[in-house]
Amino acid sequence: MSNARLQRYIQRHGWNKACGFYENCWSMQLWPAQEQLINLIDAQAGESILDIASGSGLVSIPLAKAVGKQGSVIGVDISESMVELLNHRAEQLQLQQLHSQVMDCENIKFKNETFDVAVNALGLMYVTDVDESLKRMYQSLKHGGRAGILVWGARKACGWNAVFGIIDAEVESDVCPMFYRLGTGNSLELAMTQAGFVDIQLHRIRVALHYRNADEAASAVFEGGPAALPYSRFNQEIKAKVKSRYIDSVQQYKNGSGEYFIPGEFVIGIGCKNKNSILE
């Protein structure tokens, strides 16, 4: 299996595994960054929006409420379980303007110049071809359309970063080999520029990821996050070993009450498709 196919396999099946845990583990922790992305993109009533890597709808649902019944939000995700969950929630909330479908963000298939806004919240770190993903995002926008991208920040600013090394020591290939690249320095700006976006602004946000105890902190990374697939295949002995190693790595962020406040950093990139662009 090629590296690209392997990574897509890991992400598809991994997020299917994580679907049942994701929101309980991450919704509160991610919201400060997601809320800022939503505010910066400034969705207007009646607009059409593409939410790439839409997951369970933490960004899609607020955007659907912002555009109202006259607008539309299409979510795409590689995980069938996430797509099913988001469509169920849209139905429960009577958001007829919101629909999700299975689609790989490296292979977005919409007509050019379809959307007023395109967002990708915490999905771009997992793809093997960032340039192709951004190119397709760019092409999907109408001229003058807006793009918002949210990624995790630099490795050194994310206190939970040991998890990948801990998992990779037990498997044959890197789970997320390029995870922190886009959040380092001005890498996201350069990638967006290469894709054709203009008027790019970067916003760097630091937060504390709060977990009430060690079990919650470990569940977030091993059951509700990108390591869910390999972790699910470990035997009980290895699960106990990697969990212990991870908890040791974040002990410095534990307070006297046994709660964890683990540093996290996010980078948001906001850009536009030039109204007179010929880059297609």
Side-chain angles (χ1 to χ4, degrees):
M1 186 181 294
S2 70
N3 181 60
R5 287 182 62 199
L6 175 62
Q7 287 303 318
R8 282 194 287 271
Y9 177 91
I10 290 171
Q11 298 311 321
R12 176 188 171 198
H13 292 282
W15 289 110
N16 281 339
K17 288 282 185 185
C19 185
F21 300 90
Y22 179 68
E23 289 209 13
N24 285 340
C25 293
W26 288 106
S27 60
M28 179 183 70
Q29 290 78 7
L30 300 179
W31 180 243
Q34 292 171 330
E35 183 180 35
Q36 185 159 340
L37 170 66
I38 291 166
N39 289 339
L40 288 167
I41 209 68
D42 192 25
Q44 301 296 306
E47 287 190 314
S48 58
I49 298 181
L50 173 62
D51 183 6
I52 302 168
S54 51
S56 62
L58 296 180
V59 170
S60 302
I61 290 171
L63 288 175
K65 291 177 179 178
V67 300
K69 302 296 184 184
Q70 301 306 310
S72 66
V73 176
I74 296 179
V76 298
D77 201 280
I78 198 171
S79 163
E80 298 93 341
S81 296
M82 289 289 193
V83 166
E84 183 179 355
L85 176 58
L86 178 50
N87 282 330
H88 177 65
R89 287 188 169 161
E91 183 178 355
Q92 283 186 315
L93 295 168
Q94 298 184 334
L95 295 172
Q96 293 89 350
Q97 66 270 36
L98 173 58
H99 176 74
S100 182
Q101 61 191 84
V102 177
M103 194 177 292
D104 180 351
C105 68
E106 293 176 78
N107 194 26
I108 296 296
K109 295 179 179 178
F110 294 101
K111 290 183 179 180
N112 290 357
E113 303 175 32
T114 297
F115 300 98
D116 298 299
V117 175
V119 298
N120 185 322
L122 301 174
L124 198 59
M125 308 90 57
Y126 300 109
V127 305
T128 56
D129 193 339
V130 170
D131 292 339
E132 182 64 21
S133 298
L134 286 174
K135 174 185 174 183
R136 293 190 178 239
M137 184 181 192
Y138 179 90
Q139 290 173 334
S140 75
L141 285 170
K142 299 174 184 177
H143 293 292
R146 313 185 303 286
I149 299 169
L150 172 63
V151 296
W152 283 96
R155 177 187 292 269
K156 64 183 180 181
C158 294
W160 55 277
N161 67 70
V163 64
F164 293 124
I166 291 168
I167 286 288
D168 290 342
E170 307 294 338
V171 297
E172 294 182 0
S173 63
D174 289 347
V175 175
C176 295
M178 303 297 285
F179 191 86
Y180 298 103
R181 180 172 68 88
L182 287 170
T184 302
N186 65 342
S187 296
L188 180 57
E189 180 180 8
L190 292 174
M192 292 179 70
T193 300
Q194 178 68 26
F197 291 105
V198 296
D199 299 329
I200 299 167
Q201 302 175 15
L202 290 188
H203 303 263
R204 195 170 292 271
I205 309 160
R206 292 199 173 185
V207 301
L209 310 174
H210 175 226
Y211 297 100
R212 292 177 295 180
N213 51 52
D215 284 339
E216 278 195 2
S219 181
V221 295
F222 293 125
E223 295 180 294
L229 179 62
Y231 182 78
S232 72
R233 296 182 174 181
F234 293 156
N235 61 36
Q236 292 304 313
E237 180 182 356
I238 295 178
K239 283 183 176 180
K241 180 172 73 171
V242 298
K243 180 178 177 180
S244 177
R245 288 187 61 196
Y246 176 69
I247 293 302
D248 286 345
S249 77
V250 296
Q251 277 300 301
Q252 61 187 304
Y253 309 121
K254 180 181 176 181
N255 69 11
S257 301
E259 297 175 295
Y260 290 77
F261 292 85
I262 303 173
E265 183 179 70
F266 302 94
V267 177
I268 297 173
I270 302 294
C272 297
K273 181 173 182 176
N274 195 321
K275 291 181 179 180
N276 300 314
S277 175
I278 59 172
L279 292 175
E280 298 297 348

